[in-house]
């Protein structure tokens, strides 16, 4: 287990002739290869199949697919060894289309493919996103009797995860009699990259129980999955395991650790990892900067960015998104303006829509609505950028400028009519502006278009297990206790001054249309569950996939008082640390 490729088919006997040695010395360099080729022709060995095969694999490695193909055409009746070499080498050196074409030629020449051909050509299909051809080759795998070859199966698992067909990938994976490390890694990362973090984590536990030794590729995927759902228990375990087993914390693994700690709410630990890394590339710096950013530590973001500019690698566009968005959230308007200017002036990076969004958000939050509006008009003329207008709308709502808000929302709907979120926002802004006739109209329009809102959910990790709650969720075995506990909790909150929000506004989520629903939002259920299941003094950590609504935000402040607990909620945009009745975002999110 663990070897990446099956054994190569045997070489023909002439492999080690003096001419072969000369070829090896020439190596994958086009000019010397052509000289050797000319010499072979002159000396009369230009037709040796073994030599030509070696020559064309080296030509392909040298990057000359044209020369490779001309050499191939000079061979009469190509045999399985030649095809083998060609399919493998073209797949390996990034000529996936040629790899598939040679495979086709081989099959039509009635030469049976072997497991080595299959692993190579399936990889080529994945590289090319040739999903239909790949499925066809899966049929060949079965017809030629390689359905239970673990190398071919591992290649198929990778192919199907990269085709977003996780169901088939898992079927192939499950029937593997001997699951290779490559197959485990492909399946786990396939889940993680397609947003199925819980499945990735579940499979990792299965791997542990199967006594397969993970490697750093496994850890990178598992840490990313932990980051997605806020599974800090497992994340810390992975870190300890890495240290105990003496794995090298290279820049990729280090960055994954920074991201995991920051996303799981432990920014101090993230910084420790960052400081301990010997080599730090732009991704590591950016992970640390955005780690501070999601916690609202604007000052630290600006300081670290300054350090990066003086000692670190050149920032990229993602770094600038992280810095600008942190400036927006922390109200650092002057710093943000300077950062934007330096982006193009110093680094030659042209700001894109994502940077414009941050700037509009920054100006808008600070109440500079006119400046934000002007900025949009000046910078987004060429392309309609709905996200920029959404940020503008948020600012109008925050500063209660409903007339401008209505204008912005209507414009937004005209440039991006298929997005359900825009209808919700337009409806809300009409409601806030007191134009109830319009609210009704927008809702009807939305129903007429069959637009559905996203479903919200919250997750919480207790004893290394992640639990997921949706609004009014009654699927949990202890539902009665959870609801009872939450009801009691909300009673206590009311006694200390909490008042549920009755604003007639639609929320971003399907969840929250009625008052009843407001009461059982997923984050409230997850918090109730957390309080029930953990001891006094333990911090409650929740991850919500959408933005928290204002009512939940206000309720959780009260919950932190009546339960005397620290509660950390990560929503779509940022972290909220609730403690003693206030939130770290200062209600500015
Ligand atoms: Zn809510
Ligand atoms: Zn908050």
């Amino acid at each position: 287990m663990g070897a990446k490729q099956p054994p190569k088919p045997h070489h023909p006997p002439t492999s080690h002739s003096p001419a072969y040695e000369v070829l090896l010395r020439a190596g994958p360099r086009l000019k010397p290869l052509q000289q050797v080729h000319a010499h072979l022709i002159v000396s009369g060995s230009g037709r040796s199949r073994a030599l030509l095969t070696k020559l064309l694999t080296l030509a392909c490695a040298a990057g000359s697919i044209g020369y490779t193909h001309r050499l191939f055409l000079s061979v009469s009746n190509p045999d399985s060894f030649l095809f083998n070499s060609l399919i493998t080498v073209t797949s390996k050196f990034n000529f996936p289309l040629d790899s598939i074409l040679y495979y086709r030629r081989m099959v039509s020449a009635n030469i049976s493919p072997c497991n080595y051909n299959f692993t190579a050509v399936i990889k080529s299909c994945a590289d090319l996103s040739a999903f239909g051809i790949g499925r066809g080759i899966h049929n060949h795998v079965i017809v030629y009797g390689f359905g239970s070859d673990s190398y071919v199966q591992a290649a198929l698992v990778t192919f199907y995860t990269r085709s977003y067909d996780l169901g088939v990938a898992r079927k192939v994976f499950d029937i593997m009699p001997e699951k290779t490390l490559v197959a485990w890694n492909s399946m786990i990362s396939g889940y993680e990259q397609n947003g199925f973090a819980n499945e990735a984590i579940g499979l990792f536990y299965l791997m542990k129980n199967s006594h397969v030794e993970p490697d750093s590729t496994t850890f990178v995927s598992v840490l990313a999955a932990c980051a997605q759902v806020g599974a800090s228990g497992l994340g810390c375990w992975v870190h300890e395991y890495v240290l105990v087993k003496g794995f090298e914390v290279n820049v990729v693994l280090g960055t994954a650790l920074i991201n995991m700690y920051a996303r799981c709410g432990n920014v101090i630990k993230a910084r420790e990892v960052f400081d301990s890394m010997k080599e730090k590339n732009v991704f590591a710096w950016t992970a640390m900067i955005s780690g501070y950013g999601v916690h609202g530590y604007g000052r630290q973001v600006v300081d670290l960015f300054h350090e990066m500019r003086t000692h670190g690698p050149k920032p990229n566009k993602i770094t600038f998104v992280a810095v600008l968005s942190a400036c927006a959230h922390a109200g650092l308007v002057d710093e943000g303006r300077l950062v934007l200017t330096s982006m193009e002036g110093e680094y030659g990076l042209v700001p894109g829509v994502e940077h414009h969004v941050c700037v509009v958000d920054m100006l808008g939050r600070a109440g500079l609505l006119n400046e934000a509006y002007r900025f949009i008009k000046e910078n987004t003329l060429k392309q309609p950028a709905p996200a920029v207008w959404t940020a503008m709308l948020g600012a109008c709502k925050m500063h209660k400028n409903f007339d401008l808000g209505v204008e912005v929302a209507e414009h937004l709907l005209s440039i991006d009519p298929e997005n359900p979120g825009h209808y919700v926002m337009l409806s809300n802004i009409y409601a806030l502006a007191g134009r109830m006739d319009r609210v009704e109209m927008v809702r009807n329009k939305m129903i007429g278009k069959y637009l559905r809102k996203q479903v919200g959910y919250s997750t919480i990790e207790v004893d290394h297990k992640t639990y997921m709650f949706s609004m009014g969720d009654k699927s949990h075995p202890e539902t009665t206790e959870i609801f009872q506990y939450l009801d009691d909790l909300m009673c206590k909150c009311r006694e200390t001054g909490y008042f549920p929000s009755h604003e007639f506004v639609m929320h971003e989520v399907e969840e929250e249309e009625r008052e009843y629903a407001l009461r059982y939002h997923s984050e409230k259920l997850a918090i109730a569950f957390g309080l029930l299941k953990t001891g006094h003094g333990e911090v409650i950590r929740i991850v919500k996939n959408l933005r928290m609504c204002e009512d939940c935000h206000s309720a959780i402040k009260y919950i932190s008082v009546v339960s005397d607990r620290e509660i950390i909620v990560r929503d779509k945009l940022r972290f909220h640390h609730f403690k003693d009745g206030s939130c770290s975002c200062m209600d500015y999110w």
Side-chain angles (χ1 to χ4, degrees), residues 296-404:
Y297 299 151
R299 200 23 77 192
Q300 281 86 335
V301 167
V302 172
D303 289 349
L304 192 61
F305 180 62
H306 182 71
E307 208 180 313
M308 181 181 186
R309 287 172 66 176
T310 39
H311 312 295
K314 185 185 158 195
N316 63 20
K317 287 194 169 189
I318 305 167
T319 321
F320 279 99
V321 173
V323 179
L324 288 170
S325 111
C327 290
H329 284 269
L332 300 170
V333 178
D334 292 337
E335 285 84 347
R337 283 198 191 104
L338 285 175
V339 168
L340 184 75
T341 323
S342 79
M343 189 175 168
E344 207 165 355
E346 244 175 86
Y347 297 102
L349 297 168
V350 181
V353 172
E354 59 284 19
H355 305 99
H356 292 150
V357 171
C358 296
V359 174
V360 170
D361 195 29
M362 175 179 84
L363 298 171
R365 279 164 187 273
L368 305 166
L369 293 182
N370 291 333
E371 193 183 337
Y373 201 48
R374 237 190 355 262
F375 181 85
I376 297 182
K377 296 238 152 150
E378 281 165 13
N379 288 285
T380 60
L381 279 176
K382 288 186 201 105
Q383 57 198 129
V388 178
W389 290 95
T390 308
M392 184 68 211
L393 184 57
C396 294
K397 219 177 126 189
M398 176 185 254
H399 295 285
K400 303 199 167 20
N401 188 336
F402 302 130
D403 292 336
L404 186 56

Side-chain angles (χ1 to χ4, degrees), residues 507 509 511-512 517-518 521-524 544 547-553:
H507 291 268
V509 263
E511 307 197 316
E512 26 238 280
L518 209 58
H521 276 182
S522 59
E523 53 271 57
K524 292 193 182 107
K544 163 134 195 188
R547 263 195 68 175
M548 214 187 320
C549 77
E550 285 181 39
D551 179 63
C552 284
H553 195 265

Side-chain angles (χ1 to χ4, degrees), residues 14-50:
T14 49
S15 297
H16 297 292
S17 65
Y20 192 86
E21 296 297 329
V22 174
L23 260 179
L24 283 185
R25 268 202 303 280
R29 291 172 302 155
L30 199 56
K31 268 262 147 54
L33 283 175
Q34 283 169 334
Q35 283 162 1
V36 177
H37 187 200
H39 179 74
L40 289 179
I41 293 170
V42 173
S43 69
S45 18
R47 292 197 162 276
S48 156
R49 196 175 289 260

Side-chain angles (χ1 to χ4, degrees), residues 548 553 557 574-578 582-589:
M548 214 187 320
H553 195 265
K557 286 197 252 175
R574 58 162 295 146
F575 273 91
H576 301 266
H577 292 246
F578 294 96
S582 61
C583 178
S584 62
C585 75
M586 315 292 280
D587 304 330
Y588 192 67
W589 86 94

Side-chain angles (χ1 to χ4, degrees), residues 122-135:
I122 292 166
K123 175 184 173 290
S124 295
C125 292
D127 289 345
L128 266 186
S129 305
F131 303 139
I133 299 172
R135 287 192 183 91

